[in-house]
Amino acid sequence: MKSGISNPIIKIIFYAILVIWGISVLYPLLWTLLDALKNNDQFFRKMPWSLPDFPLLWSNFTYVWSEFSFGTYFTNSVVVTLGSTLLGLFLAASTAYVLARYPFKGSSALFLLYISSMMIPFSLALIPLFFLLNSMHLTNSSFGLTLVYASTLIAFGIFVLVGFFKSLPKELEEAASIDGASYYGIFFRVMLPLSQPGLITVGIVNVLNIWNEYIIGTILVNDPVHYTLPVGIAMMQAQMQYRTEWGPLFAGLLITIVPILVMYMFFQKQIASGITAGAVK
């Protein structure tokens, strides 16, 4: 008798679970798209999950992009997300490289200190963080938001990348050193490219977290010119409390969701391989 995944009954159950899971994930996205193509009359005249009438209102996307400044919010999210991710990756990679390849007295304690910071609820630091940034005149700016987001990513990046750097053979560094490479040359030209799977994994996880972050953006920014997409969605909903426009609201949600969804579809293999590659030495 065959066992495991080779058993036909288990295969059927396994694929049935995957199909159900896939439907449960795709249905909300499809429902959001259908509702983004409706007007208010269709929401109140029909059931919310009914199909939209023709012609489809693709104008909801252009309407929300221009009337509710979603173009500005989208640009701010891209700038802040890319800037904080690149800065956080550089700081995390350089720190992880030193901790992994050049251990010193107290390096293990320093590594544990970085990791332990991941267990502290960030909400506890919001008030002192606000006053600190306010004293430095970095509140209500995309630059200050970028610095805060980058700092929140360093601990996770170190946690992942230390394993990658430890898994790389020391002979590579020795060969590069014999060829005349400096410490910086070894790091940037040899070790950093070899740790690409880990960098991609950390980068994608950070992008997902920053792109969808709302609380920090709300507290540190109160000027609509510097709003990111999650804050812009919340402000848009607040503006609509007396004249709710459901179609544009769902269109705004899709504008927020689709870029991250597309990015995850392209890099899902790198995420899976990056998580496991650094665990084997």
Side-chain angles (χ1 to χ4, degrees), residues 72-268:
T72 301
Y73 304 156
F74 188 90
T75 302
N76 292 338
S77 287
V78 171
V79 171
V80 170
T81 301
L82 290 180
S84 56
T85 299
L86 292 176
L87 179 60
L89 276 177
F90 173 74
L91 295 175
S94 56
T95 305
Y97 176 67
V98 173
L99 293 175
R101 311 300 288 195
Y102 300 99
F104 52 89
K105 186 176 181 179
S107 59
S108 299
L110 183 60
F111 175 72
L112 292 177
L113 182 63
Y114 276 114
I115 302 306
S116 62
S117 67
M118 297 171 60
M119 297 183 289
I120 301 175
F122 193 78
S123 57
L124 298 178
L126 285 177
I127 294 177
L129 178 64
F130 173 81
F131 284 109
L132 174 63
L133 292 177
N134 190 47
S135 65
M136 300 171 64
H137 304 287
L138 291 177
T139 56
N140 205 33
S141 71
S142 299
F143 179 68
L145 201 58
T146 300
L147 293 180
V148 172
Y149 285 151
S151 64
T152 62
L153 309 177
I154 295 175
F156 174 72
I158 291 174
F159 174 71
V160 175
L161 294 175
V162 162
F164 275 91
F165 288 123
K166 285 185 176 180
S167 67
L168 299 177
K170 292 185 177 180
E171 290 77 9
L172 295 174
E173 291 174 294
E174 295 172 356
S177 179
I178 293 174
D179 289 339
S182 63
Y183 290 111
Y184 296 102
I186 294 173
F187 174 67
F188 285 106
R189 301 174 63 181
V190 179
M191 308 304 287
L192 208 57
L194 291 175
S195 63
Q196 182 178 353
L199 294 174
I200 292 176
T201 301
V202 175
I204 292 176
V205 172
N206 291 343
V207 167
L208 292 174
N209 291 333
I210 296 172
W211 186 269
N212 298 313
E213 202 285 322
Y214 168 74
I215 297 177
I216 300 176
T218 304
I219 293 176
L220 298 183
V221 176
N222 55 29
D223 187 349
V225 175
H226 301 292
Y227 282 167
T228 56
L229 279 173
V231 181
I233 285 283
M235 295 301 105
M236 175 183 174
Q237 186 178 10
Q239 294 174 23
M240 288 182 172
Q241 58 181 331
Y242 299 114
R243 56 178 186 90
T244 301
E245 298 176 89
W246 295 107
L249 185 59
F250 281 102
L253 288 174
L254 276 180
I255 292 174
T256 305
I257 295 171
V258 168
I260 293 299
L261 184 64
V262 171
M263 186 196 69
Y264 185 82
M265 291 173 60
F266 277 105
F267 291 102
Q268 57 180 326

